[in-house]
Amino acid sequence: MANTALITGASSGMGVEFARYHASKGGDLIITARREAELQKLKSELETKHGVTVHVVALDLGASGGAEALYKAVQETGETIKILINNAGFGGHGVHIERELSREHAMIDLNIKAVVSLTHMIGNDLVKSGGGKMLHVSSTAGFMPGPMQAVYFASKAFVTSFSQAIDQELRGRGVTSTALCPGGVATEFLETANLENTPMGKGSASFATAESCAKHGYDAMMKGTLVTVNQKSYSFFLNWIVPFMPRRRALKMIAGMQSDG
């Protein structure tokens, strides 16, 4: 298969839209997530509509050995990955010490450890095959601390930083790495993170669609953009307002946005 993409978290939200957009360009796919029924439905849709080949790997990427199991499954397909989209991740709402520690650890395992592992394993293959593209789905949350979502915000700060460093290390060897940092996107994230009753959740009507955000990120990846924010208003806020705010004021503002109303 030429131009094969591996997409994690492909059973819903932006993961589905990344897969649809890639397939629309004639690219084959390996899609992975925990929910096999949703993956099989997407496989059928894409193969029927676009005539591409789609491999399904249903597993828990955040579980111990999950990334290694995925990589083994990828190797067993015999296909050469040219695009890696690290999309899988989740958030969690609440005071850190009041949340279950196991959930915080699970967030780190998926949002950070799995990203690092797949980037290492697939990155080596991309270099050996002559080059390729990586897209790491981060968040505007990575530009600031996040009281009431402390671990999630910190995990996305890691992803944004990590992605840029990987780009610098591998660009000269034919591999680019792009960090996509969306603002609000209409996906399952708010429900999963229990944020529906917060000011952030109540403002979800203004969120970007998963389709538009995925297209923005994919196109930026193909151009080799280092870091991209999908909405100009968020970019302006993050680059020209937040950095100049007193730190305590910024922390209170962010906490307020994520506190139950």
Side-chain angles (χ1 to χ4, degrees):
M1 289 191 286
N3 200 31
T4 303
L6 170 62
I7 302 176
T8 69
S11 62
S12 65
M14 286 197 296
V16 169
E17 299 303 336
F18 282 127
R20 285 174 173 159
Y21 192 49
H22 182 71
S24 75
K25 295 180 175 294
D28 297 319
L29 289 147
I30 300 176
I31 54 175
T32 184
R34 291 178 300 172
R35 296 177 287 187
E36 184 169 10
E38 283 81 353
L39 293 175
Q40 292 292 350
K41 182 179 178 181
L42 181 60
K43 168 186 167 72
S44 179
E45 172 195 330
L46 299 181
E47 290 185 336
T48 300
K49 186 174 182 180
H50 300 292
V52 298
T53 300
V54 181
H55 292 276
V56 166
V57 181
L59 52 70
D60 184 354
L61 183 58
S64 177
E68 290 76 14
L70 174 58
Y71 182 66
K72 181 179 179 182
V74 169
Q75 289 181 307
E76 289 173 352
T77 68
E79 310 303 343
T80 300
I81 300 299
K82 298 304 289 184
I83 293 174
L84 168 63
I85 300 181
N86 272 316
N87 170 70
F90 72 94
H93 171 245
V95 176
H96 170 62
I97 63 169
E98 296 173 1
R99 285 177 47 78
E100 291 185 16
L101 184 57
S102 62
R103 292 298 292 162
E104 302 288 63
H105 283 168
M107 198 183 304
I108 293 168
D109 288 341
L110 183 60
N111 294 11
I112 296 178
K113 287 186 177 180
V115 170
V116 171
S117 296
L118 287 180
T119 299
H120 188 277
M121 292 182 285
I122 301 297
N124 268 291
D125 290 345
L126 291 177
V127 169
K128 291 174 184 176
S129 69
K133 301 285 185 181
M134 295 185 191
L135 180 66
H136 307 285
V137 178
S138 185
S139 171
T140 51
F143 289 85
M144 63 196 91
M148 302 303 290
Q149 277 204 91
V151 172
Y152 176 75
F153 275 54
S155 74
K156 292 306 182 180
F158 177 93
V159 171
T160 302
S161 173
F162 177 71
S163 178
Q164 293 174 79
I166 294 300
D167 183 89
Q168 180 63 30
E169 291 176 358
L170 299 185
R171 182 171 286 262
R173 300 167 76 179
V175 178
T176 63
S177 177
T178 298
L180 169 60
C181 301
V185 182
T187 67
E188 297 176 346
F189 179 86
L190 289 175
E191 181 180 350
T192 303
N194 195 28
L195 288 163
E196 297 122 306
N197 294 322
T198 66
M200 179 185 294
K202 292 174 181 178
S204 61
S206 64
F207 283 6
T209 64
E211 180 181 7
S212 67
C213 188
K215 182 180 184 299
H216 175 93
Y218 186 100
D219 289 345
M221 171 188 69
M222 296 309 293
K223 294 175 185 175
T225 303
L226 192 60
V227 178
T228 187
V229 178
N230 66 313
Q231 291 174 283
K232 290 182 179 179
S233 58
Y234 281 99
S235 183
F236 178 82
F237 177 72
L238 292 168
N239 289 300
W240 297 102
I241 296 179
V242 171
F244 301 103
M245 291 179 68
R247 185 53 58 96
R248 286 289 179 190
R249 182 180 176 186
L251 286 166
K252 289 178 181 178
M253 177 190 71
I254 297 162
M257 290 170 60
Q258 300 182 108
S259 297
D260 291 329

